[in-house]
């Protein structure tokens, strides 16, 4: 992209940065009132928001894995409004003293939480992200620059207009939540906006995340794709397993915490037909290795059962599809996960304390579960109010990112004339 092309977006970026400085003067009570009013406006404007979302949906094939993420409903808008209110109820981390001490020379030193400054979010067909990013950034004194995909442009513009009307009502500069145009040039400008943006958070496909990581000059917090496993151990409870696996796979197939691969201890192959029977009712296609296929071929519908190929392991399906792999023990399950996992969410089902602790201690993932569905990997479910993304990296933040993850800190040093010798 040429310098001239980049300059056409400089105004958006400069205004967002300038607006970020005004946020420090807002009281916590005012911030919370704004968030509650955005929630109320979302409920009041539901018909408008759904109509604009329908324009986006009309341009996407329903069988596209992104369709479900793009779709807004009355229930989803109610959930979004509730998340906004949940964020309003949370304590702000700003100003929290992380460390405080007085040195022998009399200098009083404290380490205090502060905003990051300007957070940029690049995301695809996920209009709910517009709300999530705004609410968490606004609560933590950060301006946000929103770069949604063209698939959700009508929805994002409608949501931004609702947010901006509430901000204007309170006399707050609307540029604290800046929505960039949905074109590719805006993405390129944001990736290179080192003078204006403090951090970038991509949310979307692995291809999008890889592109941002490889091309951004602004620091990136990677929110990786979810290639999710659940290991059914020799000592697992069958009744619990049926419910957990069904929920993890079918609750909402288009989200990053949905189950992609079931690992089954070889001693439990006789229980495999019962374990996955509920999935057949939901029309889930299974890609099973040789032993699992043999166990299932007389019980699971033939039209839904396929022999697994190498490409089925390490795939984020985002659909009613799941791989099945037989393993001899917990170590083999961990080895498989280490090879194919995206380090998002992993689970073990077992009643054996040794197997549980071995798995929980050795598996490398942002969220690790024992006898529970991976569907819980979510900022709201973790009590964070909402999330700006689920980080699969280890620096700065990991797992669902809420308010604290949108802060940094600074050292405040108070003296009385001290000089260094």
């Amino acid at each position: 992209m040429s310098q001239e092309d980049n300059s056409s977006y400089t105004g958006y970026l400069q205004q967002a940065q300038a607006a970020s400085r005004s946020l420090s003067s807002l009281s916590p009570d005012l911030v919370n009132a704004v968030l509650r009013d955005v929630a109320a406006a979302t409920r009041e404007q539901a018909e408008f928001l759904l109509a604009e979302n329908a324009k986006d949906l009309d341009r996407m094939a329903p069988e596209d894995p992104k369709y479900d993420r793009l779709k807004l409903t009355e229930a989803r808008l109610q959930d979004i409004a509730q998340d906004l209110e949940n964020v309003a109820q949370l304590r702000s981390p700003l100003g929290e003293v992380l460390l405080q001490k007085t040195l022998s020379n009399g200098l009083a030193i404290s380490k205090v939480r502060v905003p990051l400054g300007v957070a940029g979010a690049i995301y695809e067909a996920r209009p709910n992200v517009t709300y999530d990013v705004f609410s968490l950034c606004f609560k933590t004194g950060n301006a946000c620059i929103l770069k949604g995909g063209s698939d959700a442009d009508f929805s994002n513009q409608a949501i931004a207009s609702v947010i901006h009307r509430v901000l204007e009502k309170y006399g707050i500069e609307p540029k604290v939540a800046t929505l960039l145009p949905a074109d590719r040039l805006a993405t390129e400008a944001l990736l290179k906006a080192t003078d204006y943006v403090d951090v970038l958070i991509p949310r979307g496909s692995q291809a999008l995340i890889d592109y941002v990581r490889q091309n951004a000059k602004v620091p990136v917090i990677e929110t990786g794709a979810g290639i999710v496993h659940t290991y059914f151990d020799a000592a697992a409870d069958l009744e619990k397993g049926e419910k957990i696996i069904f929920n993890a796979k079918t609750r909402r197939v288009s989200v990053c915490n949905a189950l992609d691969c079931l690992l089954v201890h070889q001693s439990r192959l006789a229980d495999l037909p019962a374990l996955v029977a509920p999935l057949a009712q939901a029309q889930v296609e299974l890609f099973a290795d040789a032993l699992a296929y043999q166990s299932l071929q007389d019980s699971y519908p033939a039209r839904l059962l396929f022999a697994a190929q190498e490409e089925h392991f390490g795939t984020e399906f985002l659909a009613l599809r799941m791989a099945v792999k037989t393993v001899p023990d917990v170590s083999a399950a961990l080895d498989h996960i280490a090879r194919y996992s995206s380090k998002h969410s992993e689970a073990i089902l077992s009643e054996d304390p040794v197997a549980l602790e071995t798995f929980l201690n050795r598996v490398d993932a942002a969220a690790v579960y024992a006898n529970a569905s991976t569907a819980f990997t979510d900022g709201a479910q973790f009590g964070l109010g909402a999330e700006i993304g689920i980080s699969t990296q280890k620096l700065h933040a990991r797992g669902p990112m809420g308010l604290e993850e949108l802060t940094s800190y600074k050292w405040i040093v108070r003296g009385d004339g001290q000089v260094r010798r």
Side-chain angles (χ1 to χ4, degrees):
M1 184 173 63
S2 70
Q3 182 97 17
E4 185 176 349
D5 291 332
N6 189 58
S7 65
S8 64
Y9 297 96
T10 300
Y12 288 104
L13 303 171
Q14 287 177 328
Q15 289 168 0
Q17 186 187 57
S20 72
R21 294 192 288 271
S22 69
L23 290 171
S24 62
S25 64
L26 303 183
S27 70
D29 287 344
L30 178 58
V31 167
N32 295 336
V34 169
L35 291 173
R36 287 191 292 267
D37 268 16
V38 172
T42 296
R43 293 188 178 101
E44 293 166 3
Q45 296 295 316
E47 184 176 350
F48 163 64
L49 293 168
L50 293 176
E52 294 302 295
N53 181 242
K55 295 178 183 178
D56 289 324
L57 292 171
D58 287 343
R59 300 180 297 161
M60 182 179 289
E63 60 271 18
D64 189 314
K66 293 187 291 186
Y67 188 89
D68 181 62
R69 289 179 172 181
L70 173 62
K71 187 176 183 178
L72 294 175
T73 64
E74 284 275 5
R76 289 181 181 180
L77 287 176
Q78 288 293 335
D79 289 343
I80 286 168
Q82 184 61 60
D83 285 347
L84 287 160
E85 291 168 345
N86 291 341
V87 172
Q89 292 173 1
L90 294 173
R91 180 188 63 82
S92 171
L94 295 180
E96 178 185 354
V97 178
L98 302 173
L99 181 148
Q100 193 167 26
K101 60 183 177 180
T102 301
L103 304 182
S104 59
N105 61 9
L107 288 177
I109 296 180
S110 56
K111 183 180 178 182
V112 180
R113 284 196 189 276
V114 296
L116 290 172
V118 179
I122 300 177
Y123 50 107
E124 295 173 318
R126 306 180 183 200
N128 64 294
V129 172
T130 305
Y131 279 111
D132 292 342
V133 173
F134 163 71
S135 63
L136 293 170
C137 284
F138 189 67
K139 179 83 173 187
T140 51
N142 294 290
C144 59
I145 297 179
L146 303 154
K147 175 57 186 71
S150 58
D151 287 338
D153 194 36
F154 286 111
S155 304
N156 289 332
Q157 289 193 52
I159 293 167
S161 72
V162 170
I163 292 170
H164 287 166
R165 281 197 292 270
V166 174
L167 291 172
E168 289 168 348
K169 169 185 169 183
Y170 285 88
I172 299 169
E173 172 54 63
K175 296 299 189 299
V176 299
T178 294
L179 178 66
L180 292 180
D183 57 68
R184 184 65 173 264
L185 291 179
T187 300
E188 298 301 314
L190 184 55
L191 293 175
K192 296 172 174 59
T194 52
D195 290 337
Y196 308 108
V197 180
D198 295 285
V199 66
L200 276 178
I201 302 170
R203 290 188 62 176
S205 66
Q206 191 63 56
L208 170 70
I209 293 162
D210 289 344
Y211 182 82
V212 171
R213 186 181 66 244
Q214 293 163 11
N215 293 278
K217 294 185 177 180
V218 176
V220 174
I221 297 177
E222 183 177 346
T223 60
I227 300 171
V228 177
H229 302 79
T230 293
Y231 167 53
F232 189 78
D233 183 49
D237 181 278
L238 180 59
E239 184 178 353
K240 289 180 186 176
E242 289 179 24
K243 294 177 182 177
I244 289 170
I245 290 165
F246 182 79
N247 179 259
K249 177 68 259 181
T250 68
R251 178 191 165 271
R252 194 173 173 194
V253 297
S254 68
V255 293
C256 57
N257 57 30
L259 178 60
D260 295 297
C261 182
L262 171 64
L263 303 172
V264 182
H265 192 283
Q266 61 187 15
S267 69
R268 302 302 298 272
L269 284 172
D271 290 319
L272 183 57
L275 187 65
V276 300
L279 298 178
Q281 300 173 24
Q283 306 301 306
V284 176
E285 296 179 354
L286 298 183
F287 300 91
D289 72 356
L291 290 175
Y293 188 95
Q294 184 178 356
S295 173
L296 294 170
Q297 62 182 348
D298 294 329
S299 60
Y300 206 79
R303 61 187 172 78
L304 298 174
L305 181 63
F306 305 91
Q309 305 300 317
E310 176 60 27
E311 64 265 21
H312 294 123
F313 302 112
T315 293
E316 184 184 28
F317 287 107
L318 302 175
L320 290 170
R321 296 176 177 174
M322 187 179 78
V324 184
K325 174 72 174 177
T326 308
V327 292
D329 51 37
V330 66
S331 292
L334 288 163
D335 288 344
H336 182 95
I337 291 170
R339 179 177 178 183
Y340 295 103
S341 172
S342 62
K343 302 182 180 182
H344 188 291
S345 299
E346 307 293 355
I348 178 174
L349 308 180
S350 182
E351 302 301 313
D352 178 0
V354 174
L356 289 173
E357 291 309 308
T358 298
F359 188 94
L360 295 175
N361 290 332
R362 286 179 54 191
V363 75
D364 185 7
V368 188
Y369 293 82
N371 296 316
S373 169
T374 56
F376 287 105
T377 305
D378 174 84
Q381 293 295 315
F382 279 20
L384 306 180
E387 70 184 26
I388 201 166
I390 297 174
S391 170
T392 54
Q393 65 186 43
K394 297 179 182 179
L395 293 180
H396 179 69
R398 197 176 195 197
M401 296 170 56
L403 298 176
E404 289 185 2
E405 289 73 27
L406 284 170
T407 66
S408 181
Y409 57 82
K410 65 182 177 184
W411 294 92
I412 296 176
V413 183
R414 301 178 190 276
D416 188 26
Q418 290 91 335
V419 295
R420 183 175 176 176
R421 293 180 180 178

